[in-house]
Amino acid sequence: MVAYTHGGSLPEGACLAAAAQAATRMHSTLERSRGESVDVVNLDVTGWEDGELLRDRVLEAVAGNPRAAGDAALAWHDIIDTPIHSAAMRQFY
């Protein structure tokens, strides 16, 4: 899991396409080198104000079902009301 911020200098979501490509590349590289699927989630936390909720979402993801997220790039608003794995699955379905 990678959390990043662009400091608000760009509109929300401006980096998500590049973050999604990076997550896909990293996921594929790890899968080839380890011989198993590894979740890679990039989180744009620009503007995030609730550190406790972010911590809770990350802990839910780490303690949850491994390999449930695959590769994903999410903005903070994607995970306010839903766990990270659920938000990642929504991108695919």
Side-chain angles (χ1 to χ4, degrees), residues 4 13-25 42 73:
Y4 69 91
C15 297
L16 285 178
Q21 290 174 352
T24 299
R25 282 192 310 270
N42 290 335

Side-chain angles (χ1 to χ4, degrees), residues 13-77:
C15 297
L16 285 178
Q21 290 174 352
T24 299
R25 282 192 310 270
M26 192 179 309
H27 175 78
S28 297
T29 299
L30 289 169
E31 192 171 46
R32 281 191 307 273
S33 68
R34 295 175 184 239
E36 62 181 277
S37 182
V38 176
D39 286 345
V40 176
V41 178
N42 290 335
L43 293 173
D44 181 352
V45 296
T46 304
W48 189 276
E49 296 179 4
D50 188 344
E52 289 182 17
L53 180 57
L54 179 58
R55 179 203 61 216
D56 292 347
R57 290 289 183 240
V58 170
L59 290 175
E60 286 172 352
V62 171
N65 183 13
R67 298 178 289 280
D71 57 274
L74 303 169
W76 65 268
H77 66 269

